[in-house]
Amino acid sequence: MKRAALAGLALAVTLAGPPSFVGPSTYLGPSPLSGQAAGEAGPRRAEVTSLRFRGNGTLSDGELRAVILTRSTECTSLLLSPFCLLTNWGFAHRRAYLDTLDVRVDADRLRLYYNFRGHFEAEVDHIVRTNGVDASVSFIIEEGPATLIDEFSIEGLPETLGAEEAEALVDIGVGDPFDRGRLQAGVDSLMGSLRRQGYVNAMALEDFRRGRDGTAQVALDVRPGARYRLGEIRIEGGEAIGEDVIRDLLPLRAGDYYNQEAEQEGQRNLFGIDAIRFASILRESPRPGAAAADSTLDLVVQVTPASPRAARFGVGWSTDQCLRTETRLTHRNLFGGARRLQITGQLGNIFADQLDGSFPCSQVGTHPSFRTLNYLLEAELLLPVAFSAENSFSARLFVERETIPDVFIQEGFGAEIGLTRRIGRRASATLSYSPSYTGFGEQSADIFFCINFGFCEPEDIVTVTRSRWLAPLTLAVLYNETDDALRPTRGYYLTAEGEVAHETTGSQYRYARIVGQAALFRELEPGLVFAARARTGVVRFPGTRIFTPGAPRTDRLVHPSRRFFVGGSQSVRGVGQNLLGPRVLVADQVEDCPAGDFEACVARLATQNPGAFDERPRGGDAQLELSFELRRYLSDRWSLVFFGDAGSVSQRLTELRDIQWTPGMGLRYASPVGSIRLDIGYNTTFATELPAIVSMEDGTLVQMPQPVLFDPFRFDDPHPLLELWRRVQIHVSIGEAF
């Protein structure tokens, strides 16, 4: 036991600073101080260009590098690797210079670290080679045999924790190599389990002996101490909110055994309530002289309510919604109980008509009907505690006019009610019902219904765009393991959503829709994060009767907002908004095309003057999206992003074969309302045959019998720089893409 303690102390002292002794050294080359007189500037130190470990089989190079001070010159970032390989420019490298004292101290650090990991006979030597300009450092390691545990025991366990369960928590035993780091982690797990059971002051004493035959004997003496139950739970400052609500948010109850993790969960629950500005849970010290039998302790919950009323006004600009404003009024504690009432008003597409679809409103839509004002007015009531602390209930009323660029304009009103249940710290599930009465602008949706469902006559378009009830029942599940909600650097999240609409839900549209998404975040080095996202979905529908009952015509028709559209700032950023996948070319009446040569004239026009046509997305019943990003954080506010997006839209998941990739880069600014994004994507498409429709003067839509060749980038054999500019897609938006 004493020997282990001394070894641990020696390691701590060595890691904190140079020891009073150094190990053997083999130094080849001139001294870095040779030829240097007192008070004179010394020669330039040699640059360490190579740092190696030889003989290490148990511990990796990365583990050993983390122990020592000596470093070698390396590339400052993975993003600059090409410059590091091809040049010796200073900006791309992090220089490291030789310090022979550090090298000798590092040899002792490594030896003591091997002792800490159970290799008590390890020896570490070092070799330095230098020509005065460059230097190479090698650590020669003889690990020696690992010390195996031949006796292991845990004594003093309380009756509430069995020996087998305790051994599983410690996760080290007879036959395993002795490793003090692993043993300490196991003891921490054991103590955590005891403290969750009410043993507030649990501790364990370690006894370690090393035999002459190279084996180890380890004994843990557990001192659980008294087991505490909760006595009184007092709440201070929560009168306006209501003590019942605050108690519901606490997973602890009087009479329960004290659980520190449950206490922390309760504090998180309190901080998650808008009506609470600050909350703390204090544990009153147990009475002195408590016996080993069950004792009690009290908790004091101190709550500081937030201001009950709040107002917020915001202005934003994006390429797909132009200028947008939002006003939000909030009452955080309506009638007590932490009930939140929020009234929101939004206006969008401001100045879109005046700017005529030019930058920075280039993604709002090609037809003037898509450049009109959008609005949303909604009122939402949230009950943070419904039946239990794990449940919350929400209800919403809204009226809106929403533009989906170049697809349709939707107008209507509706409501939504939802019940959310927290499933542990990281997961939640929401069941919601959303009835709405919506219709579509005829001039915005005529092409969509004509090309997808064959409704091309004016009277049919009037029928299909008429307002109807859409009332889906939705179940959404979220699992989030990221470290930060706004700027994640580690972890992942998973989402899944299933949606059903039928006559039994009160819907005149019938369909079933499933969407799944997964995102992953990994920090490759400090300030450099790799992020990836995959999203897929499919919608199927048994049929919708859109004409009056008894009419001879019944067609399958899914609500346009439930189909899938890919492309834009939140999707594949190398293409315009919703423009990846099936598309149709639309031209107003072509005056220069004679009736006898109309079809050939339209085909020539598409080839020679693609600007005469608007691209309109058709959407699909299945989608697949993939995105990859390298995020370089330049400061607390600014970051640079390199991305690659891919996607496909089709009628079935099995038909998602033609995946289009688009690269790009972007700039981020972390504002109080979220990341302000500027993304520049590159469109990689080439000439494509697309269906074409001509809108005649009388409102009739005439579809060409054969697809026409369409190439908006290379139709006039442009200069490479002009073609590059045509392929560039610029997106300005708020919030990360994923």
Side-chain angles (χ1 to χ4, degrees):
M1 176 67 185
K2 293 181 179 179
R3 183 172 181 177
L6 289 174
L9 177 62
L11 175 62
V13 172
T14 304
L15 294 179
S20 58
F21 64 92
V22 293
S25 172
T26 303
Y27 179 69
L28 306 179
S31 167
L33 299 180
S34 61
Q36 179 181 345
E40 295 180 354
R44 178 180 181 271
R45 290 189 299 167
E47 181 179 345
V48 180
T49 57
S50 174
L51 175 62
R52 297 180 180 178
F53 301 91
R54 298 177 182 175
N56 55 313
T58 305
L59 304 180
S60 68
D61 288 4
E63 290 179 274
L64 299 181
R65 279 194 176 92
V67 176
I68 64 176
L69 294 179
T70 302
R71 292 289 180 267
S72 62
T73 294
E74 58 187 13
C75 200
T76 58
S77 171
L78 291 176
L79 292 177
L80 298 177
S81 297
F83 294 97
C84 295
L85 292 173
L86 300 175
T87 73
N88 196 29
W89 298 345
F91 83 93
H93 292 83
R94 184 182 294 110
R95 305 291 182 185
Y97 297 96
L98 179 65
D99 186 320
T100 54
L101 178 59
D102 276 349
V103 173
R104 283 177 283 180
V105 172
D106 284 341
D108 285 286
R109 285 191 174 94
L110 292 172
R111 179 177 56 80
L112 289 174
Y113 183 66
Y114 266 99
N115 292 169
F116 185 77
R117 300 296 297 270
H119 291 263
F120 294 99
E121 298 179 13
E123 296 291 339
V124 180
D125 200 351
H126 59 276
I127 297 176
V128 177
R129 290 187 172 91
T130 180
N131 58 11
V133 177
D134 298 325
S136 66
V137 178
S138 298
F139 291 98
I140 313 303
I141 300 169
E142 294 182 11
E143 293 183 331
T147 301
L148 298 180
I149 299 174
D150 66 348
E151 292 183 18
F152 185 85
S153 63
I154 304 177
E155 300 176 355
L157 291 172
E159 295 180 357
T160 57
L161 186 65
E164 292 184 1
E165 183 180 356
E167 291 172 1
L169 288 169
V170 175
D171 193 29
I172 190 171
V174 175
D176 293 328
F178 175 78
D179 186 322
R180 183 162 296 280
R182 182 180 171 186
L183 178 62
Q184 290 176 351
V187 171
D188 289 343
S189 297
L190 178 61
M191 294 301 100
S193 176
L194 290 174
R195 288 165 187 157
R196 286 193 295 272
Q197 298 178 31
Y199 297 97
V200 177
N201 300 314
M203 61 181 296
L205 303 178
E206 303 173 24
D207 186 11
F208 167 76
R209 295 184 179 87
R210 181 167 175 257
R212 295 182 178 180
D213 57 352
T215 60
Q217 297 80 47
V218 180
L220 297 179
D221 184 9
V222 177
R223 308 286 177 87
R227 191 181 190 190
Y228 290 93
R229 288 184 182 271
L230 290 176
E232 182 184 4
I233 300 178
R234 300 197 309 274
I235 298 175
E236 300 176 355
E239 295 81 4
I241 297 171
E243 289 192 5
D244 290 343
V245 173
I246 295 174
R247 291 185 188 278
D248 285 341
L249 292 169
L250 299 176
L252 294 169
R253 296 290 181 268
D256 292 346
Y257 286 111
Y258 173 76
N259 185 330
Q260 188 173 7
E261 288 188 2
E263 177 190 304
Q264 294 171 350
E265 181 184 349
Q267 187 147 338
R268 284 193 299 268
N269 291 344
L270 293 172
F271 272 110
I273 302 300
D274 288 348
I276 297 176
R277 182 168 65 89
F278 179 78
S280 65
I281 301 177
L282 305 177
R283 187 179 70 202
E284 292 192 336
S285 300
R287 290 185 295 274
D294 288 352
S295 301
T296 61
L297 57 82
D298 298 333
L299 293 182
V300 179
V301 182
Q302 297 178 339
V303 174
T304 302
S307 174
R309 296 175 181 85
R312 170 182 166 183
F313 176 78
V315 177
W317 199 301
S318 64
T319 50
D320 59 347
Q321 296 190 51
C322 208
L323 181 65
R324 181 179 180 180
T325 65
E326 178 180 285
T327 300
R328 182 176 296 172
L329 304 175
T330 304
H331 196 299
R332 299 189 177 105
N333 193 30
L334 184 68
F335 307 127
R339 299 179 183 90
R340 187 188 71 191
L341 176 64
Q342 187 167 278
I343 299 175
T344 304
Q346 295 178 356
L347 290 177
N349 270 4
I350 303 173
F351 298 136
D353 187 38
Q354 289 81 354
L355 292 174
D356 197 27
S358 59
F359 186 83
C361 303
S362 54
Q363 306 287 332
V364 297
T366 54
H367 194 275
S369 61
F370 291 99
R371 302 170 192 163
T372 51
L373 199 66
N374 290 335
Y375 58 83
L376 169 67
L377 179 63
E378 71 173 8
E380 182 182 27
L381 178 66
L382 173 67
L383 279 64
V385 177
F387 309 114
S388 74
E390 287 75 29
N391 300 328
S392 61
F393 175 81
S394 63
R396 183 172 73 104
L397 297 173
F398 66 90
V399 57
E400 68 176 349
R401 183 182 191 275
E402 180 186 16
T403 297
I404 307 299
D406 284 330
V407 183
F408 59 82
I409 298 174
Q410 176 179 276
E411 297 178 341
F413 61 89
E416 181 180 26
I417 57 174
L419 182 66
T420 299
R421 181 170 181 83
R422 292 183 291 275
I423 310 170
R425 283 187 55 196
R426 299 291 186 175
S428 64
T430 300
L431 181 65
S432 61
Y433 176 58
S434 311
S436 61
Y437 190 68
T438 61
F440 308 95
E442 295 177 17
Q443 291 184 337
S444 70
D446 52 358
I447 305 300
F448 176 83
F449 286 109
C450 176
I451 195 66
N452 285 303
F453 301 104
F455 296 105
C456 299
E457 298 299 326
E459 58 272 17
D460 287 342
I461 293 173
V462 171
T463 300
V464 297
T465 56
R466 187 178 301 154
S467 294
R468 288 179 179 81
W469 283 103
L470 171 67
L473 188 66
T474 305
L475 177 63
V477 179
L478 167 66
Y479 184 81
N480 192 332
E481 277 282 358
T482 59
D483 61 336
D484 190 289
L486 296 179
R487 299 179 74 182
T489 59
R490 297 184 302 276
Y492 63 93
Y493 67 79
L494 305 169
T495 64
E497 182 178 291
E499 187 177 314
V500 175
H502 196 264
E503 286 91 340
T504 55
T505 66
S507 179
Q508 292 177 274
Y509 294 91
R510 294 188 295 172
Y511 64 88
R513 188 174 189 263
I514 299 175
V515 178
Q517 180 174 248
L520 173 70
F521 305 90
R522 287 288 182 270
E523 190 170 33
L524 304 180
E525 61 183 44
L528 181 64
V529 175
F530 171 77
R533 188 269 306 271
R535 179 166 57 193
T536 187
V538 63
V539 61
R540 285 290 175 263
F541 45 95
T544 298
R545 184 178 293 274
I546 62 172
F547 292 94
T548 58
R553 188 172 185 184
T554 300
D555 293 88
R556 297 199 312 164
L557 177 65
V558 69
H559 193 278
S561 67
R562 314 326 289 160
R563 284 169 67 88
F564 297 103
F565 299 90
V566 176
S569 62
Q570 300 296 124
S571 181
V572 180
R573 287 161 281 185
V575 299
Q577 193 71 26
N578 302 319
L579 287 178
L580 187 143
R583 309 186 303 282
V584 60
L585 301 177
V586 180
D588 290 332
Q589 184 179 11
V590 184
E591 298 178 355
D592 297 334
C593 290
D597 191 32
F598 189 74
E599 296 175 6
C601 179
V602 171
R604 286 196 305 272
L605 191 64
T607 304
Q608 300 172 6
N609 184 20
F613 293 83
D614 295 333
E615 292 183 81
R616 302 281 286 272
R618 298 176 57 185
D621 296 336
Q623 73 155 2
L624 175 65
E625 293 180 49
L626 302 171
S627 293
F628 302 94
E629 290 189 350
L630 274 177
R631 302 175 179 178
R632 163 58 72 184
Y633 294 105
L634 307 175
S635 67
D636 291 340
R637 292 289 187 182
W638 293 95
S639 58
L640 184 66
V641 174
F642 298 90
F643 62 82
D645 297 329
S648 180
V649 182
S650 186
Q651 301 309 311
R652 298 177 182 274
L653 279 176
T654 56
E655 298 174 359
L656 294 174
R657 301 185 184 92
D658 298 329
I659 296 179
Q660 179 181 338
W661 285 90
T662 66
M665 63 182 297
L667 192 64
R668 308 283 185 270
Y669 176 76
S671 74
V673 296
S675 293
I676 298 176
R677 287 194 292 133
L678 170 65
D679 285 326
I680 301 175
Y682 180 79
N683 195 321
T684 58
T685 58
F686 295 97
T688 309
E689 288 190 340
L690 297 175
I693 288 181
V694 178
S695 178
M696 307 304 290
E697 188 174 1
D698 60 358
T700 303
L701 300 176
V702 178
Q703 183 173 356
M704 299 297 100
Q706 299 295 330
V708 298
L709 188 65
F710 184 72
D711 187 355
F713 307 125
R714 306 178 61 186
F715 67 95
D716 57 352
D717 193 22
H719 188 277
L721 292 179
L722 177 58
E723 180 185 348
L724 174 65
W725 174 249
R726 287 174 175 174
R727 291 182 178 275
V728 165
Q729 292 289 330
I730 301 176
H731 303 279
V732 180
S733 54
I734 297 178
E736 293 288 357
F738 60 93

